Amino acid sequence: MTACAIETTAAGEGDDVPAAGCSITADGAYAARLALDGDSWFPERWTLDGPEPYAVPLPGNQPEEPGTEVQPMGDGRVLIHRLVERRHAFSLLYPTGPDTGELPLGAVECPDPGTGLRLLPPAPDGMRAYALEVGPRSSAVWLVAGGAFGPEHVAEVPGRCSGGIWLDRTGRILALDRELGGITKAVVVDLERGGEVSPLLQIAAGSDDRLLLADPDSGLILVGSDAPSPGQERLGWGVLGSTLPVRFPECLRMAECVVTPFAIQPGQALTPEQCAVALHIEGPLGGWVGVWRPAERRVHHLPAPAGWLPGAGLWTEGGKLRLPYATQETPCGVAESAAPARTGGTEDRGNTGGPGNTGGPGDAGAPGDAGPEGPVRNGAAVMGLDAPRQSPEPDPPEPVVPRPVPLQQAPLGRLVTK
């Protein structure tokens, strides 16, 4: 299963409200959220892998602040991140009969008023948890749960970072969106090489290129970039390790709507174009769910269940979309629906006929759309393969995600228009 995406705002921003509806483990077994009882916030754990979902409240001795973060661990405990002045404290919560047990893990001091810290998405192994500290000139990755001696500093990245997407199943390769010199580019941080940083996306030299979502099985990635439309971010897709540039389907452009991908169907190792992608679509009249596949020319629109925790959800390998929701009648529920049947359309190569429509095979590529026959002007995605680096120790036995290379080394020359 693929867990929901997190917000991509920088750490420390928007601390007056909970950062997301809920957080879900990578295997889809548990979720956690900050729930509201009257005027009081409290942590709540959801169990999702049983016959029916159920919630366990984990209140502390006093109500939580709205900016408190919670994250489920693979063993059913819940990590909580509290901010006390400039001190970020971490604990593990667990039910103990009618009460809540709490295991303190330590704290990270952030004395600089311009520095913030927030949790990164749940690690793929479910045993560790990481946080991103963002300062005025650099960002740090901290291991805040699963270490031996409390919070551990594991990586330092020059620049201000946001986002946070895991690119493998081991919790080694982390992608961050780094802002340097007023330009944002997605980079890769190797947590087992001392935080070694390498480029991931460079669609155009001066474009802002962010990674929004990734699936380690198929290598499918969703990106946001203003390369095809300077000054306006568009949603595109590519495949890690591919020599083809990122493509920006026209059907993902919806007037007066914000489109955010939040889940990719896993288990499609050889067919990334057939992966179903869940979209959170927010318009003037409210929000709903979209389902799209890179191989198709249209977005399928579905109503969101009442009480949906916006932006939260996951796919099963069999193509079932699961959306958590909470209402007065059902305080812990999961709505499940099958992915719409494949329409048999070919891979998008340009104009897709507009949001929700099916373009015909004779559609011409629209200006700015990218495809195998029409790459983004003046740039391409950096997603080639890197030559292995020499190391005094043997490589770990587990598979490692393909490593990107700088643009000048990527085999994209014939695909990039000058």
Side-chain angles (χ1 to χ4, degrees):
M1 299 181 178
T2 299
C4 59
I6 67 168
E7 296 292 334
T8 56
T9 54
E13 296 179 3
D15 287 341
D16 55 336
V17 295
C22 77
S23 175
I24 307 176
T25 55
D27 63 1
Y30 295 102
R33 69 169 186 143
L34 208 60
L36 189 62
D37 181 14
D39 295 328
S40 301
W41 296 97
F42 66 94
E44 187 175 69
R45 185 199 72 194
W46 289 25
T47 299
L48 304 178
D49 60 350
E52 291 186 5
Y54 65 92
V56 176
L58 296 170
N61 296 325
Q62 61 185 30
E64 304 292 345
E65 295 295 324
T68 298
E69 292 184 297
V70 292
Q71 185 174 112
M73 304 296 291
D75 59 5
R77 293 183 293 180
V78 171
L79 174 69
I80 188 167
H81 164 216
R82 301 182 178 103
L83 176 61
V84 182
E85 295 180 349
R86 303 307 302 175
R87 188 171 180 268
H88 296 262
F90 300 90
S91 297
L92 287 173
L93 306 179
Y94 54 92
T96 57
D99 300 319
T100 301
E102 182 167 341
L103 175 63
L105 299 176
V108 176
E109 299 282 351
C110 294
D112 191 333
T115 300
L117 185 145
R118 63 167 175 80
L119 293 176
L120 287 167
D125 62 5
M127 304 304 295
R128 294 171 291 176
Y130 293 86
L132 179 66
E133 177 189 355
V134 182
R137 290 174 296 277
S138 67
S139 303
V141 178
W142 289 83
L143 175 65
V144 296
F149 307 104
E152 301 175 16
H153 182 276
V154 295
E156 190 78 21
V157 182
R160 291 181 61 84
C161 293
S162 59
I165 303 291
W166 295 103
L167 298 182
D168 66 345
R169 293 293 184 191
T170 67
R172 170 179 174 175
I173 307 296
L174 175 68
L176 296 172
D177 299 323
R178 178 176 67 174
E179 187 270 323
L180 270 178
I183 298 176
T184 299
K185 299 288 185 185
V187 298
V188 170
V189 182
D190 190 332
L191 300 183
E192 290 191 7
R193 289 184 180 268
E196 180 182 271
V197 179
S198 54
L200 178 64
L201 291 175
Q202 182 161 302
I203 301 176
S207 61
D208 290 323
D209 308 321
R210 300 186 301 121
L211 183 66
L212 305 179
L213 207 58
D215 174 57
D217 294 335
S218 63
L220 178 66
I221 63 171
L222 277 296
V223 306
S225 174
D226 62 357
S229 303
Q232 179 184 5
E233 183 176 89
R234 288 185 56 180
L235 187 61
W237 71 278
V239 179
L240 285 170
S242 172
T243 59
L244 294 176
V246 169
R247 277 149 282 186
F248 295 86
E250 189 70 16
C251 66
L252 298 181
R253 300 181 73 182
M254 302 183 194
E256 300 183 353
C257 292
V258 177
V259 182
T260 307
F262 65 88
I264 299 176
Q265 181 184 358
Q268 313 297 305
L270 301 178
T271 55
E273 296 86 357
Q274 298 297 335
C275 291
V277 179
L279 310 168
H280 176 204
I281 305 172
E282 191 71 31
L285 300 181
W288 64 95
V289 177
V291 175
W292 167 80
R293 293 183 181 91
E296 298 182 354
R297 295 174 177 266
R298 64 171 296 176
V299 173
H300 302 270
H301 298 274
L302 308 174
W308 179 41
L309 307 178
L314 54 90
W315 288 100
T316 66
E317 289 192 12
K320 299 286 187 180
L321 179 59
R322 310 192 73 203
L323 301 175
Y325 68 93
T327 64
Q328 271 195 325
E329 297 77 16
T330 309
C332 175
V334 176
E336 188 173 283
S337 61
R342 296 169 184 170
T343 60
T346 58
E347 182 178 331
D348 178 76
R349 293 175 179 265
N351 183 14
T352 56
N357 296 324
T358 303
D363 287 345
D369 290 341
E373 299 173 355
V376 174
R377 186 163 299 166
N378 297 328
V382 181
M383 291 180 293
L385 294 180
D386 191 0
R389 302 186 181 212
Q390 298 298 320
S391 173
E393 298 181 356
D395 291 332
E398 67 270 9
V400 178
V401 70
R403 296 175 56 78
V405 299
L407 181 62
Q408 63 269 23
Q409 300 177 25
L412 298 174
R414 67 182 180 84
L415 299 172
V416 181
T417 56
K418 300 286 187 177

